[in-house]
Amino acid sequence: MIIRKAVMDDVPTILSLVNNYAKDGLMLMKTPYQIYRNIQSFYVCELNQQVVGCCRLNVIWKNLAEVSSLAVSPDFKRQGIGRLLVQKIIEEGKMIGIYEFFTLTYQKAFFERCGFKYVERESLPHKVFGDCLMCPKIDNCDENAYVFKAN
Ligand SMILES: CC(C)(COP(=O)(O)OP(=O)(O)OC[C@H]1O[C@@H](n2cnc3c(N)ncnc32)[C@H](O)[C@@H]1OP(=O)(O)O)[C@@H](O)C(=O)NCCC(=O)NCCS
């Protein structure tokens, strides 16, 4: 199992991982354009030459990044892949000088197991809510905000 930076050939698989969960309202639907344009911030998990998970380091500001587009194939859940992807995002964020990470999620237990702490959504800076403008749930968001502060 390896975690590596995504390349262009991974885009169809990233789209299918994310959009399969988006259909169920668990994630925000993404277009090919959104993935291609941001490919440098994506990481994937590869197992037996198959991409089985993805995650994005979405830099918001000089000291803050979002763990976003995290998805693990249904057939490979609960094998530690999600945690490895989140750890990679945090490691890469630290390499460029970011020590605070947040996510907006329904996966409370998972992020708690990864060391994230629940915070009120309103405690996050306004600039993190850019993607919310594209979300159909903008006026009745029920996602939870979690924050991780790295050393
Ligand atoms: C959330 C998700 C990425 C987790 O990936 P995963 O590879 O199954 O998670 P891991 O195996 O790395 O789990 C890490 C820990 O969290 C726990 N965990 C994972 N999913 C959990 C769940 N749904 N409920 C309770 N605990 C959970 C695991 O048991 C493990 O606990 P441990 O520390 O005791 O070993 C995956 O379920 C997924 O893709 N979900 C759908 C998309 C989604 O909601 N993404 C998040 C968008 S913010």
Side-chain angles (χ1 to χ4, degrees), residues 12 16 21 38-39 41 83 106 115 131 136:
S16 120
Y21 288 120
N38 295 307
I39 191 70
S41 56
R83 189 205 308 274
Y106 297 111
D131 278 358

Side-chain angles (χ1 to χ4, degrees), residues 19 30 51 57 63 89 116 121 130 141:
N19 288 343
K30 296 290 178 198
V51 168
L57 172 68
N63 54 359
I89 294 300
F116 282 63
R121 259 203 315 270
C141 175

Side-chain angles (χ1 to χ4, degrees), residues 74-128:
D75 297 339
F76 294 90
K77 280 185 179 179
R78 300 292 187 113
Q79 295 178 33
I81 294 171
R83 189 205 308 274
L84 282 178
L85 283 162
V86 169
Q87 284 171 346
K88 181 69 174 174
I89 294 300
I90 289 168
E91 187 186 308
E92 293 294 319
K94 284 168 70 173
M95 298 247 292
I96 57 171
I98 292 180
Y99 289 84
E100 190 161 337
F101 303 83
F102 77 96
T103 190
L104 294 166
T105 187
Y106 297 111
Q107 305 295 341
K108 298 167 71 161
F110 167 77
F111 278 102
E112 281 163 16
R113 297 303 300 164
C114 291
F116 282 63
K117 303 282 180 227
Y118 174 85
V119 295
E120 293 295 328
R121 259 203 315 270
E122 294 70 26
S123 71
L124 295 173
H126 285 164
K127 52 174 98 60
V128 311

